[in-house]
Amino acid sequence: MQAVILAAGEGKRVRPLTRSRPKALIPVANRPIIDYVIDALLKNGIRDIIVVVGYRKEQVTRFLNQLDVPVEVVVQNKQLGTADALRCAESKITGDFLVLPGDNYIDPHSIARIKGIPNAMLVQEHPNPSNFGVVMLKDGNVTEIVEKPEHAQSLMVSTGIYSLKKEVFSYIQGNDLTDGISAMIRQGIRVQGIPADDWQDAIYAWDLLKMNRRLLHQIPPEREGTISRQAIIQGTVHIGKETTIGPNTVITGPVVIGNDCTIGPNCCILPNTSIGSRVTIEPFTQLGDALIMDDTSIGSHSRIVDTIIGERCSLADHSSAGTATGLLEIEGAALRSQFGAILGDSVASGPFSTYRNAILGNNVTVEGQENITSRIIPDGSMVI
């Protein structure tokens, strides 16, 4: 069986994290999201994989070329929608096939449930259904799909994962794959709704923290590098090569730490934290429920909780990021959000800076001793 992974989109609502990488390549628990999708397919014996790329296609192609399994790459030159992306791969499809988003997590068991059923879709209940295609079911069959309704009549949503026959292309007219599926249903073709076992999308940047918490429970325990005898490590913790853990540092899993990092001494790494490679955490700093990307440094006496920090960021000593609830405007909509901070790439933050429910764009400079709460700071800004 073939599988088509749609990885051409940017993920605008996840900015600033997608300004410099497609959403499918955001590292969660130190692995790009698309890597989990490919792994789920391989565990189901599906090795004939096509990936449709578009936004920052060179980055996705470079990642795919590093994999042990050969993956065929198809380019969508303009990001016109999911149906258009699928049409780009039509000439490569020879029979029944799966369609999967490259920027959603899906587990292997859910793939096993759907892969042998022609004309089916994975569905799951979601507390915020208006962000998705809301699915109406009767006797296990899909009767209607309402795309992102203002007032949803059901909590059941489409995961965007389908098992289809090649005949679906005769029903696709516009640029949205959901419209093609709806056309099939109107023609009397049975489309089954199969409950997913474990699926998650990240609509907004802070949703990645929930995904990170979920996927960290899958990491294998491993301790490489140099770990001080005075360090305390408990729970499931993965420590990469050439990483140094200083004395009196306490790490409580699940935690993953990449290669060539320097942690401590006297640091506290709390559960649900992922730390990329070449990261420096200076003494007396606490991290928890955090996603820290490569080449970032966090100064001493800092406390970073419920926060995402992009690549090549530098936070000076006595930095603080902690959970708060507020309103933020994303893509023209006012949203209630709850997190510490989302920092894009190459953010420079001065000492004694405090962040609560704040988003900082790429290449932002904060002079220091600032308190930023429930605000979005655009790319390239300087806060003084």
Side-chain angles (χ1 to χ4, degrees):
M1 190 174 195
Q2 290 178 294
V4 180
I5 300 175
L6 306 182
E10 174 188 346
K12 291 182 179 180
R13 289 178 290 181
V14 188
R15 290 175 179 172
L17 302 176
T18 53
R19 288 288 193 185
S20 55
R21 64 182 69 78
K23 186 180 170 187
L25 287 190
I26 291 176
V28 180
N30 282 9
R31 289 172 62 189
I33 297 173
I34 193 173
D35 199 25
Y36 294 100
V37 180
I38 293 171
D39 186 56
L41 292 171
L42 295 177
K43 286 179 177 176
N44 278 278
I46 300 171
R47 301 181 65 85
D48 190 346
I49 301 171
I50 303 164
V51 179
V52 182
V53 301
Y55 175 72
R56 295 193 172 271
K57 58 183 181 292
E58 295 83 3
Q59 288 177 291
V60 185
T61 303
R62 191 181 309 121
F63 170 76
L64 296 173
N65 286 340
Q66 297 171 357
L67 299 176
D68 293 333
V69 60
V71 174
E72 186 154 9
V73 174
V74 174
V75 177
Q76 182 189 27
N77 291 315
K78 291 185 178 180
Q79 282 66 72
L80 299 176
T82 52
D84 182 76
L86 185 59
R87 276 195 295 262
C88 293
E90 182 177 2
S91 63
K92 308 289 185 181
I93 297 170
T94 57
D96 295 354
F97 64 101
L98 296 178
V99 180
L100 310 94
D103 55 9
N104 290 197
Y105 169 74
I106 188 66
D107 71 304
H109 188 247
S110 296
I111 299 295
R113 286 183 174 182
I114 195 175
K115 69 176 182 179
I117 304 174
N119 297 327
M121 61 192 298
L122 282 178
V123 297
Q124 190 175 75
E125 288 192 350
H126 196 279
N128 300 305
S130 293
N131 289 320
F132 304 89
V134 175
V135 177
M136 307 298 174
L137 295 173
K138 183 178 180 181
D139 299 327
N141 296 321
V142 180
T143 58
E144 187 181 8
I145 308 170
V146 183
E147 194 64 32
K148 298 177 183 176
E150 186 175 349
H151 302 290
Q153 298 180 13
S154 168
L155 295 176
M156 193 68 70
V157 303
S158 168
T159 65
I161 298 171
Y162 304 92
S163 176
L164 299 169
K165 301 178 76 65
K166 192 168 183 181
E167 288 75 12
V168 69
F169 288 101
S170 62
Y171 296 93
I172 295 175
Q173 302 296 325
N175 292 324
D176 195 327
L177 182 54
T178 302
D179 293 340
I181 304 299
S182 296
M184 291 172 56
I185 294 169
R186 287 194 298 270
Q187 291 295 316
I189 296 176
R190 181 189 180 201
V191 176
Q192 293 187 58
I194 308 296
D197 184 54
D198 193 3
W199 161 81
Q200 188 178 343
D201 189 10
I203 299 296
Y204 302 103
W206 54 86
D207 294 329
L208 292 163
L209 290 166
K210 181 179 179 182
M211 187 182 290
N212 196 51
R213 286 192 291 268
R214 174 176 290 187
L215 297 182
L216 278 168
H217 287 278
Q218 300 183 10
I219 63 169
E222 190 167 340
R223 300 181 187 182
E224 299 188 81
T226 302
I227 302 170
S228 169
R229 291 183 179 180
Q230 286 76 44
I232 299 173
I233 299 176
Q234 48 199 5
T236 303
V237 177
H238 184 113
I239 299 172
K241 298 176 181 178
E242 305 299 327
T243 284
T244 300
I245 308 296
N248 302 315
T249 286
V250 178
I251 304 176
T252 305
V255 167
V256 60
I257 302 173
N259 301 327
D260 300 297
C261 294
T262 302
I263 312 292
N266 300 297
C267 286
C268 178
I269 312 297
L270 297 172
N272 304 316
T273 297
S274 63
I275 299 172
S277 294
R278 301 173 300 281
V279 171
T280 299
I281 310 296
E282 295 189 6
F284 301 101
T285 286
Q286 176 181 314
L287 301 179
D289 271 297
L291 192 163
I292 313 298
M293 298 188 197
D294 295 347
D295 300 298
T296 280
S297 65
I298 300 175
S300 66
H301 298 83
S302 296
R303 181 178 183 271
I304 307 297
V305 176
D306 208 12
T307 288
I308 299 172
I309 301 179
E311 295 181 1
R312 301 178 303 281
C313 291
S314 176
L315 278 65
D317 59 277
H318 295 86
S319 295
S320 174
T323 310
T325 302
L327 288 175
L328 295 173
E329 184 176 326
I330 307 289
E331 291 285 293
L335 301 170
R336 183 168 295 278
S337 55
Q338 185 178 44
F339 61 94
I342 309 293
L343 275 58
D345 296 337
S346 301
V347 171
S349 175
F352 294 94
S353 294
T354 300
Y355 305 101
R356 299 287 184 272
N357 195 241
I359 297 178
L360 278 64
N362 300 297
N363 302 295
V364 166
T365 299
V366 179
E367 198 168 74
Q369 301 190 44
E370 298 289 338
N371 185 343
I372 300 176
T373 301
S374 294
R375 290 172 59 192
I376 299 178
I377 308 298
D379 290 354
S381 299
M382 178 172 285
V383 181
I384 58 176

